[in-house]
Amino acid sequence: MATTIGFCNLSPVFRRDMKSAYVKPKLPSPILKPLAVSAEQASIAGFAATATTSFAEKKKSSDQEGEPTKKIKRLLDVEESEEYCGGKRKSLKDYFEEAKSMMIRSDGGQPRWFTPIECGSHAPADSPLLLYIPGLVKVIERKIKSEKNGLGKRPIYLVGESLGACLALAVAARNPHLDLVLILANPGDPFKMALDNVVKGVLLQPTVEGLSQNLVSMLSYIPVRFKSQVLADILPKETLLWKLELLRSASAYANARLHAVKAQTLILCSGKDQLLPSQVEGRRLRCAISNCQTRSFNDSGHFLFLEDGVDLVTIIKSANFYRHGKIVDCISDFIPPSTSELNKVHENIRSLIAVTSPVMLSTLEDGKIVRGLSGIPSEGPVLFVGNHMLLGLELIPMITQFIIEKNILLRGITHPLIFFKMRDGFEGAFDLLRLMGAVPLSATNFYKVLSSKSHVLMYPGGGRESLHRKGEEYKLFWPEQSEFVRVAAKFGAKIIPFGAVGEDDVAQLVLDYNDPIKIPFLETLADDGVNINPRSGLSGEVANQDVHTPICVPKVPGRIYIYFGKPIETTGRKHELRDRKKSHEVYLQVKSEVEQCLAFLKDKREHDPYRNVFSRLIYQATHGFTCQIPTFPL
C-alpha cells in the first residue's frame, strides 16, 4: 500500500528567543508575510512525499534471523508529545513498535509502503512527488510510471541512501526520458571498500564492526529500554552482511550504467562514514554523471538523515534543486526559509554580528534620520539600490536585521554564477544566499520579483564592486544607462537608495585581480572555465565582471554602518518614466543619493566613540551584552 503524505501550509511566527547581538529586537508581527512554510511542521515542505519501505526478495526461514534490514527513515524530528498540525506527532519509539508488528514478517508478500507522518492536510495539487527508496528497481519503476501520468511537467524526486542510492541511479539510467531529480546520501561502491580493506589488512568482521559504530549513533535517538531489542530483532549481524551483498550487486549494476544517467543529481557525502568511502565515491560520481553536484557533511556518519542538524528540505532548497517544472523558477518555486532555518542562520552568523555591531539608519517621510528601520515601508514592492562592500560584507547584517526588526525577507538580485555548477569544493559556498531567496540577474527575473510585491535588493555595480581592487573602496561602478527605473515605475515600487561603509575597518585587501601573483586554485570560482558575465553587452568598468577570489586579512574590527535614504516614489509615474530621458534623470538621482549616503556615513563614523571593538566591549561589560551600543549623534 502506498500512502502519500502532505504538509500543513502554515505561516511561521519567529521564535521569541531569536535575539540580535547588537539590537534589542522588537517582537515580530504575528505573520511573516514572505515566509509561508515551516519546515519543522512539514515532512517534506512543498512535496507530495511517499516514504517507502520495501522488503522484497526476503530470505525464507523459520525464524527472523537473516531477514532483510528493516529500513525505517526519520524524515523529521520525532520528539514525543510535540504538536503537529493540531494533533500529536508520533515518536520514533512508536514507529519502531508499528514497524515490528506490521513490517517484520516473512510472508512472501509485496513490498510494504508506509508514511512515518500522520497529518490531516494534503500536499497542494501542484507539488512534485518525492519517493524515499530502499526498494527494488522494477518496483520503483512501476511506481514512477503509474504516478507520472498525473504529474504533468512536474519532476519526480528519488531520495536514496547507501543501497537506495544505487537503486535510484539504476532507475535513472533505465529511464533517461523521465524528468527525475536524484538526492543520494552516501552512495557506496563495495568493491572500493573491499580494496581499501585489503590494503589496510582489514577483514569483513571489522567492517561490520564499523557499521555497528554507526548504529550506535543511530540508536542514540531510541529510548534506552528499546536499544537491545532493536539490535536483536531488527539489525542482527546476518542482516548487515546480507545488506552488504545487496549493496555489492546494486552498485555493480548502477556503475555499468552511469553514462546513461541524465537526471539532475545531488550527492550528499559524510566525512565520518565508517562503512563506505562516501566522499571519495561522491567525487567519482560527480565526474561520471553529467548533471551532478555534491555536498559534504564533514562531521556526519553513515546514517546522514538520522543526525541532528541535517534537514533534507533545507539541503534541496539551498542547492536550488526544488522545482515544479523542467527548470527552476526563482519566484514561483521559491519556498521561504522556515523559522528553524532562520534561527540556524542567525546562530551561525551571531559572532560576526557581535564583533561588527552594525549600525542601521533609515529616513522617515519628513526627512528625519532615525536609528533602526522604522523608515522602511512594510508593504512592497520596494527596491533597495546601493553599493556593494568587498565580498558583500553588508549583506549578512542587512538581511538579518530586516528579518528581526521588520519581519521582511530581502530578495537579492545576484550574479547568475552562483546558480551554476561550481568547481568541486566550492559548490556549497552560496547555499545560504539561495536559501534566503537570491534571484539570478536577468530582465525577466527582475520583472517577476517586483511583480510579486517583494522587497528587492539590487546592486548596479554588481560583481565589479564586490570584487573591487585595492584603493577602490566605496567607489561606484554603475552602468551609464538606467537598468531599473522603468520597471520599478511599472509596478509603482518605492526606490530606496542606501550606502554601506566599514569594510576598511574589518578587513585589509592584500591580493586583488591586478596582482601579478598567480595562485591556480584561486583564479576563479567558476568550474570548467565557465565565467558567466551578465553584462557582457555593456561597456566601461561595469562590464568587467571577471570572477576571482581576493585575498584579505582581518583587522581589529571597527563597525559596519548602513544608511537608507528617503524613498523615491514612482507610483503614478509609469507613463512619465517610459521616456528614456526622464527615467535616466531618476537613475542619476538615485546614484547621487547613494553617494551622499556614503559621504554621510564616512563623515559621521569619525565621531562614533564606539567605532572600535574594544570600546564596545567595555560598554557591554557594564551595560550587558544584549544591549544596543550607542553610535554617533544623529
Side-chain angles (χ1 to χ4, degrees), residues 220-298:
S220 65
Y221 295 97
I222 304 174
V224 174
R225 60 185 180 277
F226 286 89
K227 289 183 180 179
S228 60
Q229 182 180 2
V230 168
L231 278 175
D233 295 347
I234 298 180
L235 296 168
K237 182 176 70 174
E238 292 79 2
T239 297
L240 302 182
L241 294 173
W242 177 86
K243 180 177 178 180
L244 288 175
E245 175 59 25
L246 270 186
L247 186 57
R248 183 200 65 78
S249 176
S251 64
Y253 183 93
N255 277 326
R257 293 161 176 79
L258 288 179
H259 63 280
V261 177
K262 307 301 179 185
Q264 185 182 11
T265 305
L266 178 64
I267 298 178
L268 314 179
C269 308
S270 294
K272 296 182 179 179
D273 188 342
Q274 298 180 24
L275 176 62
L276 300 172
S278 297
Q279 291 195 332
V280 174
E281 183 67 1
R283 289 192 292 269
R284 183 185 74 88
L285 291 175
R286 184 184 184 277
C287 297
I289 300 173
S290 59
N291 189 10
C292 182
Q293 295 186 33
T294 60
R295 294 294 185 276
S296 294
F297 299 82
N298 294 329

Coordinates of all heavy atoms in Angstrom, one line a residue, residues 220-298:
S220 N 21.2 6.4 19.4 CA 21.1 7.5 20.4 C 19.7 8.2 20.3 O 19.3 8.9 21.3 CB 22.2 8.5 20.2 OG 22.0 9.1 18.9
Y221 N 19.0 7.9 19.2 CA 17.7 8.5 19.1 C 16.6 7.6 19.7 O 15.4 8.0 19.7 CB 17.4 8.7 17.6 CG 18.2 9.7 16.9 CD1 19.4 9.3 16.2 CD2 18.0 11.1 17.1 CE1 20.2 10.3 15.6 CE2 18.8 12.0 16.5 CZ 19.9 11.6 15.8 OH 20.8 12.5 15.2
I222 N 16.9 6.4 20.1 CA 15.9 5.5 20.6 C 16.0 5.4 22.1 O 17.0 5.4 22.7 CB 16.2 4.1 20.0 CG1 16.3 4.2 18.4 CG2 15.2 3.1 20.4 CD1 16.7 2.9 17.8
P223 N 14.8 5.3 22.8 CA 14.8 5.2 24.2 C 15.6 4.0 24.7 O 15.7 3.0 24.0 CB 13.3 5.0 24.5 CG 12.6 5.6 23.4 CD 13.5 5.4 22.2
V224 N 16.3 4.2 25.8 CA 17.3 3.2 26.3 C 16.6 1.8 26.4 O 17.2 0.8 26.0 CB 17.8 3.6 27.7 CG1 18.7 2.5 28.3 CG2 18.6 4.9 27.5
R225 N 15.4 1.7 26.9 CA 14.8 0.4 27.1 C 14.5 -0.4 25.8 O 14.2 -1.5 25.8 CB 13.5 0.6 27.9 CG 12.5 1.4 27.2 CD 11.3 1.6 28.1 NE 10.2 2.4 27.5 CZ 10.2 3.7 27.5 NH1 11.2 4.4 28.0 NH2 9.2 4.4 27.0
F226 N 14.7 0.3 24.6 CA 14.4 -0.3 23.4 C 15.7 -0.7 22.6 O 15.6 -1.4 21.6 CB 13.5 0.6 22.5 CG 12.1 0.7 22.9 CD1 11.7 1.7 23.8 CD2 11.2 -0.2 22.4 CE1 10.4 1.7 24.2 CE2 9.9 -0.1 22.8 CZ 9.5 0.9 23.7
K227 N 16.8 -0.3 23.1 CA 18.0 -0.5 22.3 C 18.4 -1.9 22.1 O 18.7 -2.4 20.9 CB 19.2 0.3 22.9 CG 19.1 1.8 22.8 CD 20.2 2.5 23.4 CE 20.1 4.0 23.2 NZ 21.2 4.8 23.8
S228 N 18.4 -2.7 23.1 CA 18.8 -4.1 23.0 C 17.8 -4.9 22.1 O 18.2 -5.7 21.3 CB 18.9 -4.8 24.3 OG 17.7 -4.7 25.0
Q229 N 16.5 -4.5 22.3 CA 15.5 -5.2 21.4 C 15.7 -4.8 20.0 O 15.5 -5.7 19.1 CB 14.1 -4.7 21.9 CG 13.0 -5.3 21.2 CD 11.6 -4.8 21.7 OE1 11.6 -4.0 22.6 NE2 10.6 -5.4 21.1
V230 N 16.0 -3.6 19.7 CA 16.2 -3.1 18.3 C 17.4 -3.9 17.7 O 17.3 -4.4 16.6 CB 16.4 -1.6 18.2 CG1 16.9 -1.2 16.8 CG2 15.1 -0.9 18.5
L231 N 18.5 -3.9 18.4 CA 19.7 -4.6 17.9 C 19.4 -6.1 17.6 O 19.8 -6.7 16.6 CB 20.8 -4.5 18.9 CG 21.6 -3.2 18.8 CD1 22.7 -3.2 19.9 CD2 22.3 -3.0 17.5
A232 N 18.7 -6.7 18.5 CA 18.5 -8.2 18.4 C 17.5 -8.5 17.3 O 17.6 -9.5 16.6 CB 18.0 -8.7 19.7
D233 N 16.4 -7.7 17.3 CA 15.3 -8.1 16.4 C 15.3 -7.5 15.0 O 14.8 -8.0 14.1 CB 13.9 -7.7 17.1 CG 13.7 -8.4 18.3 OD1 14.4 -9.4 18.6 OD2 12.8 -8.0 19.1
I234 N 15.9 -6.3 14.9 CA 15.9 -5.5 13.7 C 17.2 -5.5 12.9 O 17.2 -5.6 11.7 CB 15.4 -4.1 13.9 CG1 14.0 -4.1 14.5 CG2 15.3 -3.3 12.7 CD1 13.4 -2.8 14.8
L235 N 18.3 -5.4 13.6 CA 19.6 -5.2 12.9 C 20.6 -6.3 13.4 O 21.7 -5.9 13.9 CB 20.1 -3.8 13.2 CG 19.2 -2.7 12.6 CD1 19.7 -1.4 13.1 CD2 19.3 -2.7 11.1
P236 N 20.4 -7.6 13.2 CA 21.4 -8.6 13.6 C 22.5 -8.6 12.6 O 22.4 -8.0 11.5 CB 20.6 -9.9 13.5 CG 19.5 -9.6 12.5 CD 19.1 -8.2 12.7
K237 N 23.6 -9.2 13.0 CA 24.8 -9.2 12.2 C 24.6 -9.8 10.8 O 25.1 -9.4 9.8 CB 26.0 -10.0 12.9 CG 27.3 -10.0 12.1 CD 28.4 -10.6 12.8 CE 28.1 -12.1 13.0 NZ 29.3 -12.8 13.6
E238 N 23.8 -10.9 10.7 CA 23.5 -11.5 9.5 C 22.8 -10.6 8.5 O 23.0 -10.6 7.3 CB 22.6 -12.8 9.7 CG 23.3 -13.9 10.4 CD 23.4 -13.7 11.9 OE1 22.9 -12.7 12.4 OE2 24.0 -14.6 12.6
T239 N 21.9 -9.7 9.1 CA 21.2 -8.7 8.2 C 22.2 -7.8 7.6 O 22.1 -7.4 6.4 CB 20.2 -8.0 9.1 OG1 19.2 -8.9 9.5 CG2 19.5 -6.9 8.2
L240 N 23.2 -7.4 8.4 CA 24.2 -6.4 7.9 C 25.0 -7.0 6.8 O 25.3 -6.4 5.7 CB 25.1 -6.0 9.0 CG 24.4 -5.3 10.2 CD1 25.5 -4.9 11.2 CD2 23.6 -4.2 9.8
L241 N 25.4 -8.3 6.9 CA 26.1 -9.0 5.9 C 25.2 -9.1 4.6 O 25.7 -9.0 3.5 CB 26.6 -10.4 6.4 CG 27.6 -10.3 7.5 CD1 27.9 -11.8 8.0 CD2 28.9 -9.7 7.0
W242 N 24.0 -9.4 4.8 CA 23.0 -9.5 3.7 C 22.9 -8.2 3.0 O 22.9 -8.2 1.7 CB 21.7 -10.0 4.3 CG 20.6 -10.1 3.2 CD1 20.3 -11.1 2.4 CD2 19.6 -9.1 3.0 NE1 19.2 -10.9 1.6 CE2 18.8 -9.6 1.9 CE3 19.4 -7.8 3.4 CZ2 17.7 -8.9 1.4 CZ3 18.3 -7.1 2.9 CH2 17.5 -7.6 1.9
K243 N 22.9 -7.1 3.7 CA 22.8 -5.8 3.1 C 24.0 -5.5 2.3 O 24.0 -4.9 1.2 CB 22.5 -4.7 4.1 CG 22.4 -3.3 3.5 CD 22.1 -2.3 4.5 CE 22.0 -0.9 3.8 NZ 21.7 0.2 4.7
L244 N 25.2 -5.8 2.8 CA 26.4 -5.6 2.1 C 26.5 -6.3 0.7 O 26.9 -5.8 -0.3 CB 27.7 -6.0 2.9 CG 28.0 -5.1 4.1 CD1 29.1 -5.7 4.9 CD2 28.3 -3.7 3.6
E245 N 25.9 -7.6 0.7 CA 25.9 -8.3 -0.5 C 24.9 -7.7 -1.5 O 25.2 -7.6 -2.7 CB 25.4 -9.8 -0.2 CG 25.2 -10.6 -1.4 CD 26.5 -10.8 -2.3 OE1 27.6 -10.6 -1.8 OE2 26.3 -11.0 -3.5
L246 N 23.8 -7.2 -1.0 CA 22.8 -6.5 -1.9 C 23.5 -5.2 -2.4 O 23.3 -4.9 -3.6 CB 21.6 -6.1 -1.1 CG 20.4 -7.0 -1.0 CD1 19.2 -6.4 -0.3 CD2 20.0 -7.5 -2.4
L247 N 24.2 -4.5 -1.6 CA 24.9 -3.3 -2.0 C 25.9 -3.5 -3.1 O 26.0 -2.8 -4.0 CB 25.5 -2.6 -0.8 CG 26.2 -1.2 -1.0 CD1 25.1 -0.2 -1.5 CD2 26.7 -0.7 0.3
R248 N 26.6 -4.7 -2.9 CA 27.6 -5.0 -4.0 C 27.0 -5.2 -5.3 O 27.4 -4.7 -6.4 CB 28.4 -6.3 -3.5 CG 29.5 -6.7 -4.5 CD 29.8 -8.2 -4.3 NE 28.7 -9.0 -4.7 CZ 28.4 -9.3 -6.0 NH1 29.0 -8.8 -7.0 NH2 27.4 -10.1 -6.2
S249 N 25.9 -6.0 -5.3 CA 25.2 -6.3 -6.5 C 24.6 -5.0 -7.1 O 24.7 -4.8 -8.4 CB 24.1 -7.3 -6.2 OG 23.3 -7.5 -7.4
A250 N 23.9 -4.2 -6.3 CA 23.3 -3.0 -6.8 C 24.3 -2.0 -7.4 O 24.0 -1.3 -8.4 CB 22.5 -2.3 -5.7
S251 N 25.4 -1.8 -6.7 CA 26.4 -0.9 -7.2 C 27.1 -1.3 -8.5 O 27.4 -0.5 -9.3 CB 27.5 -0.6 -6.1 OG 28.2 -1.8 -5.9
A252 N 27.2 -2.6 -8.6 CA 27.8 -3.1 -9.9 C 26.8 -2.8 -11.0 O 27.3 -2.4 -12.1 CB 28.0 -4.6 -9.8
Y253 N 25.6 -3.0 -10.8 CA 24.6 -2.7 -11.8 C 24.5 -1.3 -12.2 O 24.5 -0.9 -13.3 CB 23.2 -3.2 -11.3 CG 22.1 -3.0 -12.3 CD1 21.7 -4.1 -13.1 CD2 21.4 -1.8 -12.4 CE1 20.7 -4.0 -14.0 CE2 20.3 -1.7 -13.3 CZ 20.0 -2.8 -14.1 OH 19.0 -2.6 -15.0
A254 N 24.6 -0.4 -11.1 CA 24.5 1.0 -11.4 C 25.8 1.6 -12.0 O 25.7 2.4 -13.0 CB 24.2 1.8 -10.1
N255 N 26.9 1.1 -11.6 CA 28.2 1.5 -12.2 C 28.3 1.3 -13.7 O 28.9 2.1 -14.4 CB 29.4 0.9 -11.5 CG 29.7 1.6 -10.2 OD1 29.6 2.8 -10.1 ND2 30.1 0.9 -9.2
A256 N 27.7 0.2 -14.1 CA 27.8 -0.2 -15.5 C 26.9 0.7 -16.4 O 27.0 0.7 -17.6 CB 27.4 -1.7 -15.7
R257 N 26.0 1.5 -15.7 CA 25.1 2.3 -16.5 C 25.2 3.8 -16.2 O 24.2 4.6 -16.5 CB 23.7 1.8 -16.2 CG 23.4 0.4 -16.8 CD 22.2 -0.3 -16.1 NE 22.0 -1.6 -16.7 CZ 22.7 -2.7 -16.5 NH1 23.7 -2.6 -15.6 NH2 22.4 -3.8 -17.1
L258 N 26.2 4.2 -15.5 CA 26.3 5.7 -15.1 C 26.3 6.6 -16.3 O 25.8 7.7 -16.2 CB 27.6 5.9 -14.3 CG 27.6 5.3 -12.9 CD1 29.0 5.6 -12.2 CD2 26.5 5.9 -12.1
H259 N 26.8 6.2 -17.4 CA 26.9 7.0 -18.6 C 25.4 7.3 -19.1 O 25.2 8.3 -19.8 CB 27.6 6.3 -19.7 CG 27.0 5.0 -20.2 ND1 27.1 3.8 -19.5 CD2 26.2 4.8 -21.3 CE1 26.4 2.9 -20.2 NE2 25.9 3.4 -21.2
A260 N 24.5 6.5 -18.7 CA 23.1 6.7 -19.2 C 22.3 7.6 -18.3 O 21.1 7.9 -18.6 CB 22.4 5.4 -19.4
V261 N 22.8 8.0 -17.1 CA 22.1 8.8 -16.1 C 22.0 10.2 -16.6 O 23.1 10.9 -16.7 CB 22.7 8.7 -14.7 CG1 22.0 9.6 -13.8 CG2 22.7 7.2 -14.3
K262 N 20.9 10.7 -16.9 CA 20.7 12.1 -17.3 C 20.0 12.9 -16.3 O 19.8 14.2 -16.5 CB 19.9 12.2 -18.6 CG 20.4 11.3 -19.8 CD 21.8 11.7 -20.1 CE 22.4 10.8 -21.3 NZ 23.8 11.1 -21.6
A263 N 19.6 12.3 -15.2 CA 18.8 13.0 -14.2 C 19.7 14.0 -13.4 O 20.9 13.9 -13.3 CB 18.3 12.0 -13.2
Q264 N 19.0 15.1 -13.0 CA 19.6 16.1 -12.1 C 20.0 15.4 -10.8 O 19.1 14.8 -10.2 CB 18.7 17.3 -11.9 CG 19.3 18.4 -11.1 CD 18.3 19.5 -10.9 OE1 17.1 19.4 -11.2 NE2 18.8 20.7 -10.4
T265 N 21.2 15.4 -10.4 CA 21.6 14.6 -9.2 C 22.4 15.4 -8.2 O 23.2 16.3 -8.5 CB 22.6 13.5 -9.7 OG1 21.9 12.7 -10.8 CG2 23.0 12.6 -8.6
L266 N 22.0 15.2 -6.9 CA 22.7 15.8 -5.8 C 23.2 14.7 -4.9 O 22.4 13.9 -4.4 CB 21.8 16.8 -5.1 CG 22.4 17.5 -3.8 CD1 23.5 18.4 -4.2 CD2 21.3 18.3 -3.1
I267 N 24.5 14.7 -4.7 CA 25.1 13.6 -3.8 C 25.5 14.2 -2.5 O 26.3 15.2 -2.5 CB 26.3 12.9 -4.5 CG1 25.8 12.3 -5.8 CG2 27.0 11.9 -3.6 CD1 26.9 11.6 -6.6
L268 N 25.1 13.6 -1.4 CA 25.4 14.1 -0.1 C 26.4 13.1 0.5 O 26.2 11.9 0.6 CB 24.1 14.1 0.8 CG 22.9 14.7 0.1 CD1 21.7 14.7 1.1 CD2 23.2 16.2 -0.3
C269 N 27.6 13.6 0.9 CA 28.7 12.8 1.4 C 29.1 13.0 2.8 O 29.3 14.2 3.2 CB 29.9 13.0 0.5 SG 29.6 12.9 -1.3
S270 N 29.1 12.0 3.6 CA 29.5 12.1 5.0 C 31.0 12.0 5.1 O 31.6 11.1 4.5 CB 28.8 11.1 5.9 OG 27.4 11.3 5.9
G271 N 31.6 12.8 6.0 CA 33.0 12.8 6.2 C 33.5 11.7 7.2 O 34.7 11.3 7.2
K272 N 32.6 11.2 8.0 CA 32.9 10.2 9.0 C 32.1 8.9 8.8 O 31.7 8.3 9.8 CB 32.7 10.8 10.4 CG 33.6 12.0 10.7 CD 33.5 12.5 12.2 CE 34.4 13.6 12.5 NZ 34.2 14.1 13.8
D273 N 31.9 8.6 7.5 CA 31.2 7.4 7.2 C 32.2 6.2 7.4 O 33.2 6.0 6.7 CB 30.8 7.4 5.8 CG 29.8 6.2 5.4 OD1 29.8 5.2 6.1 OD2 29.1 6.3 4.4
Q274 N 31.9 5.4 8.4 CA 32.8 4.3 8.8 C 32.5 3.0 8.0 O 33.2 2.0 8.1 CB 32.7 4.0 10.3 CG 33.2 5.1 11.1 CD 33.1 4.8 12.6 OE1 33.1 3.7 13.0 NE2 33.0 5.9 13.4
L275 N 31.4 3.0 7.2 CA 31.1 1.9 6.4 C 31.6 2.0 5.0 O 32.1 1.0 4.4 CB 29.6 1.7 6.4 CG 29.0 0.5 5.5 CD1 29.6 -0.8 6.0 CD2 27.5 0.5 5.5
L276 N 31.4 3.2 4.4 CA 31.8 3.4 2.9 C 32.6 4.6 2.8 O 32.5 5.5 3.5 CB 30.5 3.5 2.1 CG 29.5 2.3 2.1 CD1 28.2 2.7 1.5 CD2 30.1 1.1 1.5
P277 N 33.5 4.6 1.7 CA 34.3 5.8 1.4 C 33.5 6.8 0.7 O 33.6 7.1 -0.5 CB 35.4 5.2 0.6 CG 34.8 4.1 -0.1 CD 33.8 3.5 0.8
S278 N 32.5 7.4 1.4 CA 31.5 8.2 0.7 C 32.0 9.4 0.0 O 31.5 9.8 -1.1 CB 30.4 8.6 1.8 OG 29.8 7.5 2.3
Q279 N 33.0 10.2 0.6 CA 33.4 11.4 -0.1 C 34.2 11.0 -1.3 O 34.1 11.7 -2.3 CB 34.2 12.2 0.9 CG 33.4 12.8 2.0 CD 34.1 13.9 2.8 OE1 35.3 13.9 2.9 NE2 33.4 14.9 3.3
V280 N 35.0 10.0 -1.3 CA 35.8 9.6 -2.5 C 34.8 9.2 -3.6 O 34.9 9.5 -4.7 CB 36.7 8.4 -2.1 CG1 37.4 7.9 -3.4 CG2 37.8 8.9 -1.1
E281 N 33.8 8.4 -3.2 CA 32.8 7.9 -4.1 C 32.0 9.1 -4.7 O 31.6 9.1 -5.8 CB 31.9 6.9 -3.4 CG 30.8 6.3 -4.4 CD 31.4 5.4 -5.4 OE1 32.7 5.2 -5.5 OE2 30.7 4.9 -6.3
G282 N 31.7 10.1 -3.8 CA 30.9 11.2 -4.3 C 31.7 12.0 -5.4 O 31.1 12.4 -6.4
R283 N 33.0 12.2 -5.2 CA 33.8 12.9 -6.2 C 33.8 12.1 -7.5 O 33.8 12.6 -8.6 CB 35.2 13.1 -5.6 CG 35.3 14.2 -4.6 CD 36.7 14.6 -4.3 NE 37.4 13.5 -3.6 CZ 37.5 13.3 -2.3 NH1 36.9 14.2 -1.5 NH2 38.3 12.4 -1.8
R284 N 33.9 10.7 -7.4 CA 33.9 9.9 -8.6 C 32.6 10.0 -9.4 O 32.6 10.2 -10.6 CB 34.2 8.4 -8.2 CG 34.3 7.5 -9.4 CD 34.4 6.1 -9.0 NE 33.2 5.5 -8.5 CZ 32.2 5.0 -9.3 NH1 32.4 4.9 -10.6 NH2 31.1 4.5 -8.8
L285 N 31.5 10.0 -8.7 CA 30.2 10.0 -9.3 C 30.0 11.4 -9.9 O 29.3 11.6 -10.9 CB 29.1 9.7 -8.3 CG 29.1 8.2 -7.9 CD1 28.0 8.0 -6.8 CD2 28.8 7.3 -9.1
R286 N 30.5 12.4 -9.2 CA 30.3 13.8 -9.7 C 30.9 13.9 -11.1 O 30.4 14.6 -12.0 CB 31.0 14.8 -8.8 CG 30.7 16.2 -9.2 CD 31.5 17.1 -8.2 NE 31.2 18.5 -8.5 CZ 31.9 19.2 -9.5 NH1 32.8 18.6 -10.2 NH2 31.6 20.5 -9.7
C287 N 32.1 13.3 -11.3 CA 32.7 13.3 -12.6 C 32.0 12.4 -13.7 O 32.1 12.7 -14.9 CB 34.2 13.0 -12.5 SG 35.2 14.1 -11.5
A288 N 31.5 11.3 -13.2 CA 30.9 10.3 -14.1 C 29.5 10.7 -14.5 O 29.1 10.3 -15.6 CB 30.9 9.0 -13.4
I289 N 28.7 11.5 -13.8 CA 27.4 11.8 -14.1 C 27.3 13.3 -14.6 O 27.9 14.2 -14.0 CB 26.5 11.7 -12.9 CG1 26.5 10.3 -12.4 CG2 25.0 12.1 -13.2 CD1 25.7 10.1 -11.0
S290 N 26.7 13.5 -15.7 CA 26.8 14.8 -16.4 C 26.2 15.9 -15.7 O 26.7 17.0 -15.7 CB 26.1 14.6 -17.8 OG 24.8 14.3 -17.7
N291 N 25.1 15.7 -15.0 CA 24.4 16.8 -14.3 C 24.4 16.5 -12.8 O 23.3 16.2 -12.2 CB 23.0 16.9 -14.9 CG 22.2 18.1 -14.3 OD1 22.8 19.0 -13.7 ND2 20.9 18.2 -14.6
C292 N 25.5 16.7 -12.2 CA 25.7 16.2 -10.8 C 26.4 17.3 -10.0 O 27.4 17.9 -10.4 CB 26.5 14.9 -10.8 SG 26.7 14.2 -9.1
Q293 N 26.0 17.4 -8.7 CA 26.6 18.2 -7.7 C 26.8 17.4 -6.4 O 26.1 16.4 -6.2 CB 25.8 19.5 -7.4 CG 25.7 20.5 -8.6 CD 25.0 21.8 -8.1 OE1 25.1 22.2 -7.0 NE2 24.2 22.3 -9.0
T294 N 27.7 17.9 -5.6 CA 27.9 17.2 -4.3 C 27.9 18.2 -3.2 O 28.1 19.4 -3.3 CB 29.3 16.5 -4.3 OG1 30.3 17.5 -4.5 CG2 29.4 15.4 -5.3
R295 N 27.5 17.7 -2.0 CA 27.6 18.5 -0.8 C 28.3 17.6 0.3 O 27.9 16.4 0.4 CB 26.2 18.9 -0.3 CG 25.5 19.9 -1.2 CD 26.3 21.3 -1.2 NE 25.5 22.3 -2.0 CZ 25.6 22.4 -3.3 NH1 26.3 21.6 -4.0 NH2 24.9 23.4 -3.9
S296 N 29.2 18.1 1.0 CA 29.9 17.4 2.1 C 29.4 17.7 3.5 O 29.2 18.9 3.8 CB 31.4 17.7 2.0 OG 31.9 17.2 0.8
F297 N 29.3 16.7 4.3 CA 28.9 16.8 5.7 C 30.1 16.2 6.5 O 30.0 15.0 6.8 CB 27.6 16.2 5.9 CG 26.5 16.7 5.1 CD1 26.3 16.4 3.8 CD2 25.6 17.7 5.7 CE1 25.2 16.9 3.1 CE2 24.6 18.3 4.9 CZ 24.4 17.9 3.6
N298 N 31.1 17.0 6.8 CA 32.3 16.5 7.3 C 32.2 15.8 8.6 O 33.0 15.0 9.0 CB 33.4 17.6 7.3 CG 33.7 18.1 5.9 OD1 33.7 17.4 5.0 ND2 34.0 19.4 5.8

